[in-house]
Amino acid sequence: MQELMLQFIDNYWVPSQNTLSLPVIDPYRQQQIATVTMGDADDVNAAVNAARRAFDGWQALGGRARGAYLDAFADALADRREALMRLSSTNNGKTLAEAGIDLDDAIACYRYYANQARHLEHRQGRLVDHGMDDVEARVYEDPAGVVGLITPWNFPLVTSAWKIAPALAAGCTVVFKPSEVTPLPENALAEIALEVQLPSGVLNLVHGNGEGIGAPLTSHPGIDKLSFTGSNRVGEQVMRAAADGSRSVSLELGGKSPIVVLDDADIEQAADWIMAGIYFNSGQICSATSRLLVHDSLADRLHAALGERIDAIRLGDPLDSDTDMGPMSSARQRESVEDYLAIAAEEGLLVVRDASHRQLPEQGEFVAPSLYCDVPTDSRLWREEVFGPVLCSRSFSSEAEAIALANDSDFGLAATVISDDTERAKRVGRALKAGIIWFNTEQIVLPEAGWGGFKKSGIGRELGPWGLSDYLEVKHIVGPR
Ligand code: NAD
């Protein structure tokens, strides 16, 4: 078993005064693989103070030098690729392929923001175009300050990269809290900070749960900005905490995203994209397209094609390259999904494939993939984020109905449209209320394109230039020419 994981503050590994600890569990073997220390408000305070001391120096370094550190982070992650994929798979239950995507997207993000940091330096002090000949106006973008970053467990490396990389590129210093469920992969970031000789205090990593670290971090007056990815329940608490002191807050929250299959779609191709949209990472994806909307004329054949594919999914050891789907990331998440399956039974939902129809591996926190059809729009499974391998389907008879059903949700994170007619797919996509809409493809994530949601899916955008702006304050200097 690995040793107790310590706090990383001011470039030192330090024990917490809090004597509580939590086991870190391998959800396939159902064994403890490490112990994570449960930090407390004193650890948060020490980390915020370290980040504050480091701030002026890190800002003064400039974008070019900060970009070099971010490139070094990307290189160091790439050097650890195999080991990190295994660690992530073991801690998270992800298949190796899913762990590879988490890591590769994270590396791409560090590289993208390394470039953005250099562009930032280049554009500092540029002239503002305006109509007054005798007035000079220049624009600067300064870092927001000391930022508190909080992430969930489903894609540990990528959700943290989407915050840490732009924050460091902007010149902010960071106090970062990973999920207590999957602290192992992100602990590597502290090792990398030491390896690349990141200046002390620029990146601090504090382990603990919501009560011990999350709440003190969000309410700490020394934090200038908060960025949170996780559930709506906690996101709203974070927003309330940010209201004290009128601090800026960005939220990446839940989703209940639609996938729309129009009447001219190729059924076999559509079935492949639908499978990838909901069963990838055992359904634990914020952008999971968990509401299938299919034209009446295709529904039966599409459900049959999906049923065959669901039966072919191989559940098993996530470290085995033959495995398609690993266990849920924790016993708690398995129980939460099972609760929804019980609700589906109570609601009398029509089953195409139900999770109890197949034998599960002898060990592991598994939930088998399921598919329900003709799901009423007032079903809890249609409206709430399940965060598991559960697909709900209903059919429509016109494009207008499909758009109305797709948009009838509290969330608006993502959507997919499938049609043989590309222009039609894009037109329908344009009518959907979501931050990212894919047409005729699996879910492609580009560091250059924004990520974030309409409605209850969040506030703000990560990735792209928007992800960097989130950590910048705009400053104009104006006077006589
Ligand atoms: P969660 O909200 O339970 O926990 C997220 C983080 O918040 C964890 O680090 C947790 O320790 C911390 N936390 C808990 N209580 C806190 C408090 N009072 N104050 C501050 N921090 C606190 O979410 P989860 O179960 O880890 O993740 C699943 C959720 O994340 C899903 O809803 C999913 O949709 C969402 N998610 C969204 C995106 C996105 O980009 N929109 C990406 C990934 C996951």
Side-chain angles (χ1 to χ4, degrees):
M1 200 200 313
Q2 295 199 10
E3 305 215 339
L4 181 72
M5 296 164 64
L6 301 174
Q7 311 291 34
F8 183 71
I9 298 172
D10 220 6
N11 279 13
Y12 287 100
W13 294 105
V14 288
S16 175
Q17 293 307 306
N18 187 352
T19 50
L20 292 176
S21 62
L22 203 71
V24 182
I25 306 288
D26 169 345
Y28 175 65
R29 286 162 195 80
Q30 294 167 306
Q31 286 169 0
Q32 184 171 352
I33 47 174
T35 304
V36 64
T37 189
M38 288 290 95
D40 61 15
D42 288 342
D43 299 310
V44 169
N45 202 36
V48 173
N49 288 340
R52 180 61 60 194
R53 286 193 298 274
F55 178 72
D56 287 346
W58 184 242
Q59 175 180 11
L61 213 51
R64 189 170 298 273
R66 293 196 299 267
Y69 279 110
L70 290 172
D71 273 332
F73 259 77
D75 293 342
L77 284 168
D79 288 346
R80 290 166 163 77
R81 194 168 189 280
E82 297 306 315
L84 262 180
M85 279 166 57
R86 289 187 73 82
L87 187 67
S88 188
S89 176
T90 308
N91 190 177
N92 208 298
K94 287 177 182 305
T95 62
L96 282 174
E98 290 159 351
I101 289 172
D102 184 34
L103 178 57
D104 290 343
D105 283 357
I107 293 170
C109 178
Y110 284 101
R111 290 212 196 287
Y112 172 75
Y113 283 111
N115 269 328
Q116 288 288 311
R118 291 185 273 270
H119 289 155
L120 178 63
E121 177 159 323
H122 183 66
R123 67 179 189 240
Q124 292 288 17
R126 68 190 182 280
L127 282 168
V128 177
D129 207 10
H130 60 81
M132 295 176 72
D133 288 345
D134 51 349
V135 171
E136 178 187 298
R138 292 185 184 272
V139 60
Y140 295 83
E141 290 159 281
D142 285 357
V146 175
V147 296
L149 311 180
I150 300 176
T151 56
W153 43 262
N154 63 326
F155 282 97
L157 290 169
V158 92
T159 49
S160 55
W162 290 5
K163 299 186 190 307
I164 293 172
L168 295 184
C172 296
T173 52
V174 169
V175 180
F176 166 50
K177 178 201 153 353
S179 167
E180 65 276 28
V181 182
T182 55
L184 292 178
E186 285 151 311
N187 221 38
L189 299 174
E191 292 161 15
I192 290 171
L194 287 175
E195 186 178 303
V196 305
Q197 297 180 2
L198 194 70
S200 299
V202 168
L203 174 64
N204 305 277
L205 190 155
V206 278
H207 287 296
N209 59 13
E211 193 186 335
I213 292 288
L217 180 58
T218 53
S219 60
H220 197 293
I223 293 285
D224 298 304
K225 179 200 164 53
L226 290 160
S227 180
F228 170 85
T229 300
S231 64
N232 284 71
R233 182 183 62 79
V234 178
E236 287 174 15
Q237 290 174 22
V238 170
M239 198 169 172
R240 278 186 210 105
D244 274 341
S246 307
R247 288 165 306 145
S248 154
V249 61
S250 305
L251 303 174
E252 293 286 350
L253 306 176
K256 192 73 198 177
S257 299
I259 183 162
V260 180
V261 182
L262 297 173
D263 55 350
D264 58 358
D266 177 298
I267 287 180
E268 297 301 321
Q269 179 61 82
D272 288 342
W273 288 327
I274 293 163
M275 296 294 291
I278 180 64
Y279 300 119
F280 178 69
N281 206 43
S282 308
Q284 301 163 119
I285 354 172
C286 53
S287 58
T289 37
S290 53
R291 290 186 298 138
L292 168 60
L293 290 161
V294 51
H295 190 268
D296 287 332
S297 61
L298 305 184
D300 290 345
R301 282 178 291 151
L302 184 62
H303 292 151
L306 288 170
E308 281 171 20
R309 282 165 175 75
I310 290 170
D311 293 341
I313 292 177
R314 290 163 300 193
L315 305 175
D317 182 350
L319 290 175
D320 180 343
S321 57
D322 283 339
T323 296
D324 298 315
M325 187 186 278
M328 307 307 292
S329 292
S330 64
R332 197 169 144 200
Q333 190 58 20
R334 173 183 54 71
E335 286 160 12
S336 166
V337 178
E338 285 172 349
D339 286 348
Y340 273 104
L341 298 178
I343 292 166
E346 277 163 30
E347 289 183 346
L349 297 190
L350 280 178
V351 171
V352 178
R353 285 294 181 279
D354 92 29
S356 60
H357 83 287
R358 64 190 290 167
Q359 181 117 26
L360 293 175
E362 280 174 10
Q363 58 176 24
E365 308 293 350
F366 284 94
V367 176
S370 56
L371 167 60
Y372 300 94
C373 66
D374 299 334
V375 177
T377 55
D378 60 356
S379 159
R380 284 188 59 192
L381 274 83
W382 187 259
R383 306 214 72 84
E384 297 176 15
E385 182 182 53
V386 176
F387 224 56
V390 182
L391 178 60
C392 291
S393 168
R394 63 177 291 120
S395 54
F396 60 85
S397 55
S398 70
E399 207 176 280
E401 189 191 357
I403 292 168
L405 282 167
N407 285 337
D408 179 19
S409 170
D410 289 342
F411 298 102
L413 185 58
T416 298
V417 183
I418 304 173
S419 164
D420 248 15
D421 177 344
T422 305
E423 289 310 311
R424 187 179 177 211
K426 286 194 269 186
R427 177 166 47 76
V428 171
R430 190 74 185 84
L432 301 182
K433 292 188 175 68
I436 182 150
I437 292 135
W438 294 282
F439 65 93
N440 295 338
T441 178
E442 292 183 359
Q443 298 194 359
I444 300 168
V445 179
L446 303 167
E448 296 81 2
W451 184 273
F454 284 42
K455 302 187 258 183
K456 284 189 182 171
S457 286
I459 296 177
R461 291 289 181 274
E462 295 196 306
L463 293 182
W466 307 275
L468 184 66
S469 316
D470 217 28
Y471 295 96
L472 290 169
E473 294 284 3
V474 175
K475 178 195 280 180
H476 285 93
I477 300 207
V478 183
R481 206 186 278 276

